[in-house]
Amino acid sequence: MASNNHHHNHKNDDNHLNGDSSVSHVPKKPKLGSFITDSEIQSEFAHHDPAVARINNGSFGCCPASVIAAQQKWQMKNLRQPDHFYFNELKKGILHSRTVIKEIINADHVDEISIVDNATTAAAIVLQQTAWAFQEGKFQKGDAVVMLHYAYGSVKKSMEAYVTRAGGKVIEVQLPFPVNSNEEIISEFRRALERGKTDGSRVRLAVIDHVTSMPSVVIPVRDLVKICREEGVDQVFVDAAHAIGCIDVDVKEIGADFYTTNLHKWFFCPPSVAVLYSRKSPSCSELHHPVVSHEYGNGLATESAWIGTRDYSAQLVVPEVLEFVSRFEGGIEGIKKRNHEAVVEMGRMLATAWGTHLGSPPDMCASMVMVGLPTCLGISSDSDALNLRAHLRDDFGVEVPIYYRPSKDGEIGLVTGYARISHQVYNKADDYYKFRDAINQLVRNKFTCALLSN
Amino acid sequence: MDEDHRNDEGSPENHRTPKKRRLSGFISESEIREEFSHHQAGVARINNGSFGSCPRSVLAAQNKWQLRFLQQPDDFFYNTLQKAILESRTLIKDLIHADDVNDVSLVDNATTAAAIILQRIGRRFVQGKFQKNDTVIMFDSAFPAVKKSIQAYVIPAGGSLVEVRLPFPVHSNEEIITEFKKGLERGKANGGRVRLAILDHITSMPSIVLPVRELIKICREQGVDQVFVDGAHAIGSLHIDVNEIGADFYVSNLYKWFFSPPSVAFLHCKNSSAIFDLHHPVVSHEYGNGLPIESAWVGARDYSPQLVVPSILNFVNRFEGGIEGIMKRNHEEVVKMGSMLAESWATNLGSPPEMCASMIMVGLPSRLGVTSDEDALRLRSYLRDYHGIEVPIYYQALRNGESNSKDKDGYITGYVRISHQVYNSAEDYHKLKSAINHLLDDGKICKMLPKE
């Protein structure tokens, strides 16, 4: 995979410890005035397994070779002289990344921007603060925290660990899926807020996904935040794990108290780095990173920038990522637009080929869309979905997550399995044809998931 | 030679993976230099204690793991990651003589382990299982992050802290044991119980090896609930047998003295049931499955440092005597170099040789005038920026009622903490010796040094 033609482009050879196992094919930068070409894009992602139709950017994201090279540069800087790096370079580098992010998401102050490992960590930080408020008696036992039924698994567990244990009541918003309009979501949300306010208790926190994970749908967060303010919800935390690089993120306009998004999913950063935005306000609570270092008490951003000795290089390459996206026509906006158009086109192609449907209208998806799978596959449980996914991976070279949607009362013959397809700059139509053909073959061969569960 | 040359027609000479040793030969001097050739040339790097070091062959192994993830992350997550973490945990279990791999968790660093343990203590206070007069006891030399963790998790929950003065310079284990016993009395003075004792195996600043086995025995005799040994520096510095040491919780960083990349540490729990009562503060879908499993998935991130333990063992086994041989030689050399410096400066060592491992404190001439933490930091920066020497400096204020160290010109209030690791040579320490002597010859004191 490492192309010998490219080794003369190694800018910083002291990065390359072992040529055959590092990403050594750093592609040439384009001539001034021209955009990145198709073959340059393929080169940037040449480390991806070529035998796999990788249509699951949503789970683990991707990182181009030039950003990986930049990361290795930072890693070597540290290893070269770690004391000097710690005293003279690290803080500056993180501040630079935070400043860049602040601009991208339209925050007012760089103080509002903290960098953490991932949205999972951000959730721990926000919910820890909620738990403290219960413990200190600021919130009463029985006060509610509202979250979406489709909230990410780790967020649900965080609720258990931090909220339920501290005496809070967790209320889940039942979301319809397939979904047809924002109104369906908004009315369920209102209903959940009402449940939260029974018996004179208050809704202290609403945790709202910007783009749900499974099943994946774009939530009308602006509307929901407005409703929260109208209904007297204390705080709103938007879990936007997928958002940056996928949909528009303007934290002021969205208006949440806390907003987190992973940069390693759709924003080309290496694993892993996320931003936690915390709006400055007179009543804002003190957030703390749960791993306490000597920086404790100096503000979340400073605490998060030092949580003990570890590799912070993923947090330092944000400026280089900006360089990468600027090579594309329209920058990140162009990438988002083209990803959306392509994933909708491919989703429709698949739905047509299989005689199924999309899980949401195109305007409720960004760079991922749910596509119904043929009912004859017999997906009737979560483990069926997982088994089918493994079967597609191992025997067809297709990587795509499958969602099991249980039938509700009165429903017959409905689609119970959906594939969540992603489109990122490295994808090609062939990836989706491969998937289409794999499913068609399974259908032809009268395959059912029951065959896998032995 | 060629069979070891992996690939890389165009790659510069110094980036080849170093040759493995020929059978029956140990790693040579030049191979060691090659393994650490990424260290900045011209720097006398005598501070392995702070950030550790990682040889190129382990870094190469890490890159391999990172690449595997990037190639097909879903497959890596579902089919590779957990197995590889379990393999690392199993190797560590053997290294530390633990009974059960279920008792071994991997976390980022000792700082994270402290958060895990102290969060649990905090919960106990909140739940009313511990009472207001109950205490946590530790030496005042505990790592700053640990002190802050107590402020964050124990104090607000209603617990109190008892700090025990660490005698320094120290002459014997007895001095430490005496102070600790006094501290335990204070901890029980208000009728409360001592719920947790936090003991460094090797303190950070000033650095000495504590007699943890004896201290733990005393803890058990005196009814201390639990003992947490912060062995941040321990693995690769001294012998660890967690059963013999007998702590309830034991943590050590692998990236300091055990050649791993930043960063990974192990946390061992004596009682297997404890792993369900401790939680990683970053909650994932693995919540409730026991600390080792929770720690093996704290959301999407780079777990590669946790995966290279097998490669580390390959590395250390290229040395005569393996890790034991490395530890022995590091200890002998650091004592030798420390003594050389103390003699040249006419000062003293901060502890007797048997109370140090691969780091030792050496008194700085009183004439240098280290009179504050700022002075110490200033001197450290000066040595880094003007002499290419990396060494941490410790300031100790004069203490009432104790014998303070003196040299012919006054009281010794500044110490260097020198480390010795396999990449160090005598030259590194002579460089330090000369730099300090030059300062003295020029009549300089800390306050005269350039400000940052």
Side-chain angles (χ1 to χ4, degrees):
Chain A
M1 214 168 291
S3 165
N4 287 337
N5 292 337
H6 289 290
H7 77 257
H8 64 275
N9 291 320
H10 291 180
K11 302 253 171 64
N12 301 286
D13 278 328
D14 58 329
N15 301 339
H16 292 284
L17 300 174
N18 183 9
D20 69 320
S21 65
S22 69
V23 179
S24 50
H25 47 273
V26 180
K28 288 200 291 289
K29 293 262 160 78
K31 315 173 203 48
L32 255 96
S34 72
F35 296 118
I36 191 170
T37 66
D38 228 39
S39 80
E40 281 165 349
I41 295 174
Q42 293 309 315
S43 194
E44 284 279 7
F45 295 98
H47 52 282
H48 287 191
D49 187 339
V52 175
R54 186 165 163 150
I55 48 183
N56 184 26
N57 195 73
S59 284
F60 297 103
C62 62
C63 187
S66 32
V67 175
I68 293 170
Q71 183 191 21
Q72 287 178 341
K73 228 173 125 180
W74 281 108
Q75 285 167 337
M76 286 315 283
K77 250 182 155 173
N78 173 52
L79 295 170
R80 213 168 111 81
Q81 219 295 43
D83 298 77
H84 165 77
F85 189 79
Y86 170 75
F87 283 105
N88 301 320
E89 307 268 357
L90 179 61
K91 278 191 170 154
K92 272 190 327 210
I94 292 190
L95 180 60
H96 189 184
S97 287
R98 284 168 58 211
T99 307
V100 164
I101 292 169
K102 162 190 162 290
E103 295 298 315
I104 297 173
I105 68 175
N106 194 31
D108 274 335
H109 307 277
V110 76
D111 291 348
E112 296 172 322
I113 306 291
S114 303
I115 297 183
V116 296
D117 273 354
N118 43 42
T120 300
T121 305
I125 290 172
V126 174
L127 292 175
Q128 185 180 237
Q129 165 242 197
T130 306
W132 271 124
F134 276 102
Q135 274 158 25
E136 288 168 356
K138 216 171 109 191
F139 296 168
Q140 272 63 61
K141 290 233 185 308
D143 280 351
V145 175
V146 169
M147 70 176 190
L148 306 185
H149 175 59
Y150 295 130
Y152 194 61
S154 66
V155 176
K156 291 190 167 181
K157 288 287 190 175
S158 298
M159 290 291 204
E160 208 187 292
Y162 283 112
V163 175
T164 310
R165 232 201 336 220
K169 184 175 63 174
V170 177
I171 294 184
E172 288 189 12
V173 180
Q174 297 305 314
L175 288 184
F177 183 80
V179 66
N180 299 304
S181 71
N182 283 338
E183 280 60 49
E184 292 177 19
I185 294 176
I186 290 170
S187 56
E188 284 298 336
F189 189 73
R190 283 194 189 278
R191 233 168 276 164
L193 285 186
E194 286 310 308
R195 292 203 314 272
K197 300 200 285 188
T198 54
D199 313 322
S201 51
R202 295 190 53 161
V203 178
R204 295 297 188 176
L205 176 71
V207 181
I208 307 173
D209 292 38
H210 198 156
V211 179
T212 55
S213 174
M214 274 303 224
S216 185
V217 160
V218 175
I219 302 289
V221 284
R222 291 163 189 77
D223 295 324
L224 296 185
V225 172
K226 243 199 285 198
I227 292 169
C228 284
R229 303 302 183 201
E230 289 164 8
E231 298 292 324
V233 173
D234 279 33
Q235 292 178 330
V236 183
F237 168 36
V238 173
D239 175 3
H242 287 273
I244 193 168
C246 186
I247 50 174
D248 292 341
V249 177
D250 181 329
V251 288
K252 284 220 298 262
E253 195 222 347
I254 292 169
D257 299 281
F258 312 112
Y259 188 101
T260 186
T261 184
N262 288 331
L263 277 69
H264 54 266
K265 275 192 192 289
W266 295 95
F267 205 67
F268 304 107
C269 283
S272 68
V273 51
V275 57
L276 172 53
Y277 160 81
S278 170
R279 195 171 61 139
K280 254 189 183 176
S281 81
S283 62
C284 75
S285 308
E286 228 175 72
L287 291 182
H288 291 283
H289 198 290
V291 177
V292 174
S293 77
H294 66 271
E295 296 284 11
Y296 181 72
N298 291 336
L300 180 65
T302 303
E303 288 183 12
S304 304
W306 187 258
I307 52 173
T309 299
R310 36 172 293 173
D311 182 357
Y312 292 90
S313 62
Q315 302 187 4
L316 302 170
V317 295
V318 180
E320 283 93 338
V321 167
L322 275 200
E323 261 181 58
F324 173 75
V325 304
S326 69
R327 292 162 66 189
F328 290 76
E329 185 170 0
I332 193 65
E333 299 301 319
I335 292 173
K336 289 194 290 206
K337 180 167 174 293
R338 287 185 298 272
N339 277 341
H340 173 70
E341 287 166 0
V343 87
V344 169
E345 189 190 328
M346 291 294 107
R348 283 178 167 148
M349 179 275 292
L350 292 170
T352 304
W354 299 333
T356 58
H357 55 262
L358 298 182
S360 73
D363 61 352
M364 289 179 78
C365 81
S367 14
M368 299 183 288
V369 72
M370 305 299 287
V371 186
L373 289 164
T375 51
C376 60
L377 292 178
I379 298 163
S380 55
S381 65
D382 286 332
S383 58
D384 279 349
L386 212 56
N387 290 338
L388 176 57
R389 176 180 183 175
H391 186 44
L392 286 166
R393 175 189 306 124
D394 297 336
D395 298 308
F396 291 93
V398 175
E399 186 60 58
V400 67
I402 315 275
Y403 170 68
Y404 162 61
R405 186 254 183 213
S407 334
K408 303 208 164 87
D409 290 334
E411 291 176 345
I412 353 159
L414 279 197
V415 168
T416 54
Y418 289 79
R420 182 186 78 185
I421 62 168
S422 295
H423 187 283
Q424 187 44 299
V425 298
Y426 55 79
N427 284 120
K428 302 232 150 292
D430 277 346
D431 298 328
Y432 307 87
Y433 296 143
K434 198 172 178 186
F435 182 33
R436 174 199 65 190
D437 296 343
I439 295 293
N440 284 344
Q441 188 179 323
L442 288 174
V443 168
R444 266 198 313 274
N445 295 345
K446 308 248 192 293
F447 166 90
T448 68
C449 285
L451 295 169
L452 287 177
S453 47
N454 299 321
Chain B
M1 225 163 275
D2 276 334
E3 71 270 13
D4 288 329
H5 191 106
R6 294 275 173 76
N7 182 14
D8 249 14
E9 305 159 55
S11 185
E13 177 62 23
N14 61 340
H15 302 299
R16 255 189 313 142
T17 305
K19 290 200 298 289
K20 296 261 159 71
R21 63 178 171 92
R22 308 173 206 77
L23 265 119
S24 86
F26 295 116
I27 189 170
S28 68
E29 277 302 315
S30 75
E31 282 165 344
I32 296 176
R33 272 197 298 278
E34 163 93 52
E35 284 281 6
F36 294 98
S37 54
H38 53 290
H39 286 193
Q40 185 171 354
V43 172
R45 186 164 161 153
I46 47 185
N47 184 25
N48 196 73
S50 284
F51 298 102
S53 53
C54 187
R56 297 183 84 106
S57 38
V58 175
L59 290 171
Q62 183 191 20
N63 280 345
K64 254 175 138 158
W65 284 111
Q66 288 167 331
L67 184 63
R68 269 178 86 171
F69 172 79
L70 294 169
Q71 272 170 346
Q72 219 296 41
D74 299 78
D75 178 66
F76 191 84
F77 171 74
Y78 282 104
N79 299 323
T80 305
L81 180 62
Q82 296 308 315
K83 273 193 318 219
I85 291 184
L86 180 60
E87 189 183 342
S88 285
R89 285 170 55 212
T90 306
L91 289 171
I92 289 169
K93 158 194 161 284
D94 292 335
L95 274 168
I96 65 176
H97 303 278
D99 284 333
D100 191 345
V101 72
N102 287 324
D103 298 337
V104 179
S105 305
L106 296 182
V107 295
D108 275 356
N109 43 42
T111 298
T112 306
I116 290 171
I117 290 166
L118 291 171
Q119 273 196 348
R120 177 182 170 275
I121 298 286
R123 281 198 293 274
R124 285 280 196 277
F125 277 100
V126 166
Q127 290 161 351
K129 298 206 167 107
F130 292 172
Q131 272 62 60
K132 247 207 128 223
N133 281 333
D134 291 347
T135 54
V136 172
I137 189 172
M138 68 183 194
F139 282 97
D140 61 358
S141 56
F143 198 61
V146 176
K147 294 186 173 184
K148 291 283 187 173
S149 297
I150 292 184
Q151 254 181 56
Y153 291 122
V154 177
I155 310 293
S160 326
L161 173 68
V162 171
E163 274 193 70
V164 178
R165 167 76 74 78
L166 181 78
F168 186 80
V170 69
H171 306 96
S172 70
N173 284 337
E174 279 60 51
E175 291 177 18
I176 293 175
I177 290 170
T178 305
E179 281 303 311
F180 188 67
K181 282 183 170 162
K182 278 193 247 168
L184 281 180
E185 290 310 309
R186 289 199 329 266
K188 302 195 286 184
N190 289 332
R193 294 194 54 161
V194 179
R195 294 298 185 177
L196 182 73
I198 302 176
L199 305 172
D200 288 351
H201 200 154
I202 303 175
T203 58
S204 173
M205 275 303 221
S207 184
I208 58 179
V209 175
L210 295 190
V212 284
R213 290 165 189 75
E214 289 93 323
L215 293 174
I216 292 177
K217 224 183 333 168
I218 292 165
C219 285
R220 304 299 182 204
E221 288 164 5
Q222 298 284 326
V224 171
D225 269 22
Q226 291 184 318
V227 180
F228 166 35
V229 172
D230 177 358
H233 285 272
I235 188 166
S237 267
L238 38 73
H239 182 70
I240 301 175
D241 182 326
V242 288
N243 275 328
E244 194 225 342
I245 292 169
D248 296 277
F249 312 108
Y250 192 105
V251 66
S252 187
N253 290 331
L254 274 68
Y255 60 84
K256 278 190 189 288
W257 295 95
F258 204 64
F259 304 108
S260 96
S263 68
V264 55
F266 74 81
L267 173 56
H268 174 263
C269 299
K270 192 167 76 156
N271 290 322
S272 296
S273 57
I275 64 162
F276 292 99
D277 196 31
L278 293 176
H279 294 285
H280 198 291
V282 178
V283 174
S284 77
H285 65 272
E286 296 285 12
Y287 180 73
N289 291 337
L291 184 64
I293 304 298
E294 289 186 12
S295 305
W297 188 258
V298 289
R301 39 172 280 171
D302 181 0
Y303 291 89
S304 62
Q306 299 190 8
L307 307 177
V308 296
V309 177
S311 307
I312 294 174
L313 287 184
N314 284 341
F315 174 74
V316 303
N317 288 331
R318 290 163 66 191
F319 288 77
E320 187 172 357
I323 191 64
E324 304 287 328
I326 291 172
M327 294 194 299
K328 179 167 174 289
R329 288 185 295 272
N330 277 342
H331 173 69
E332 287 166 0
E333 285 304 310
V334 88
V335 169
K336 188 163 142 205
M337 292 295 107
S339 307
M340 179 274 290
L341 291 169
E343 198 185 306
S344 171
W345 299 335
T347 59
N348 59 293
L349 295 178
S351 73
E354 61 273 14
M355 290 180 75
C356 81
S358 15
M359 297 184 290
I360 196 165
M361 306 297 287
V362 186
L364 285 165
S366 62
R367 260 201 297 145
L368 275 181
V370 179
T371 62
S372 64
D373 289 329
E374 289 68 42
D375 283 347
L377 208 55
R378 210 159 160 179
L379 176 57
R380 176 177 185 176
S381 303
Y382 168 78
L383 288 170
R384 177 189 306 124
D385 297 336
Y386 290 87
H387 288 273
I389 298 170
E390 188 59 58
V391 69
I393 319 269
Y394 171 66
Y395 162 65
Q396 173 145 303
L398 296 177
R399 292 169 158 179
N400 290 332
E402 287 172 28
S403 55
N404 297 289
S405 259
K406 283 178 86 159
D407 62 11
K408 60 179 173 19
D409 299 306
Y411 289 103
I412 294 175
T413 50
Y415 288 79
V416 290
R417 182 187 78 185
I418 60 169
S419 295
H420 187 282
Q421 188 44 299
V422 298
Y423 55 80
N424 285 120
S425 65
E427 215 182 297
D428 298 328
Y429 308 89
H430 287 289
K431 205 170 169 186
L432 174 62
K433 175 193 74 182
S434 307
I436 296 295
N437 285 338
H438 280 317
L439 281 177
L440 294 172
D441 291 342
D442 291 346
K444 289 258 191 334
I445 62 168
C446 282
K447 301 238 185 298
M448 295 171 170
L449 295 173
K451 244 194 159 127
E452 283 162 72

